Amino acid sequence: MVDCHDAALKHLAHRERSVQETRNYLKGKGFQNAEIEKELGYLQELHYLDDERYCESMVRYGKNKGRGPLRIQMDLKEKGIDSALIQYYLGEGFSQSDEKIAAWNEVEKVLRGRGISVLDGTDKEQEEPPPMDEKLLAKIGRKLSANGYHTDVIYEILGILKRG
């Protein structure tokens, strides 16, 4: 039979995890709360579990995957990360201009999929894309919304695309 320590280490061997993720995993394996909390404390002392490092890493990962700050925030909350910690690392890693650039990168992906190349990657806010039809604008808006970008950023980008 596997003990709590071995189960936790096996769980952490694959990738970085939050304290809450690990707690839920160990509960699912049938370990007692006292044993779980003792193990979590030990793993935190060793820095095998570190919610700050996890949060910082997940903000960077989400940003690199094209996710907006709202999506990253939701994902981190689901992993049991403290709201203040989330806000701190989102503030560090996602300025408003960073969000706009990331959103434009997602727009480029949609447009490239349609064979439309309009943005050269230098100054995305100053580009003049060709006018878009309503169906394509709706698709872009849905993608940006699903990826967790703020509505003001989405509407600004859609306004630029609509004006063409």
Side-chain angles (χ1 to χ4, degrees), residues 22-63:
T22 306
R23 178 181 290 118
N24 292 344
Y25 175 80
L26 294 173
K27 281 182 182 180
K29 291 290 186 183
F31 295 106
Q32 299 300 313
N33 284 339
E35 186 178 18
I36 291 170
E37 294 308 316
K38 181 180 175 185
E39 184 61 29
L40 293 175
Y42 177 68
L43 293 171
Q44 286 174 304
E45 284 178 29
L46 295 174
H47 299 286
Y48 288 177
L49 278 176
D50 184 337
D51 278 356
E52 284 190 40
R53 183 180 64 221
Y54 178 81
C55 185
E56 180 181 25
S57 171
M58 292 308 290
V59 167
R60 190 173 41 254
Y61 173 79
K63 190 175 175 182

Side-chain angles (χ1 to χ4, degrees), residues 100-113:
K100 287 179 184 178
I101 291 169
W104 274 112
N105 288 335
E106 292 305 300
V107 170
E108 284 182 308
K109 289 178 190 176
V110 172
L111 296 178
R112 273 196 311 267

Side-chain angles (χ1 to χ4, degrees), residues 15-21 48-64 67 69 71-94:
R15 65 174 175 84
E16 185 96 25
R17 311 275 183 169
S18 71
V19 172
Q20 188 62 43
E21 262 185 299
Y48 288 177
L49 278 176
D50 184 337
D51 278 356
E52 284 190 40
R53 183 180 64 221
Y54 178 81
C55 185
E56 180 181 25
S57 171
M58 292 308 290
V59 167
R60 190 173 41 254
Y61 173 79
K63 190 175 175 182
N64 289 339
R67 295 181 184 137
R71 168 80 183 274
I72 295 170
Q73 180 180 14
M74 182 185 67
D75 291 346
L76 287 169
K77 278 186 178 183
E78 287 177 1
K79 302 297 184 184
I81 303 299
D82 180 66
S83 293
L85 200 56
I86 295 170
Q87 291 309 310
Y88 174 77
Y89 282 106
L90 279 175
E92 289 284 306
F94 242 117

Side-chain angles (χ1 to χ4, degrees), residues 12 52 96:
L12 293 172
E52 284 190 40
Q96 189 171 15

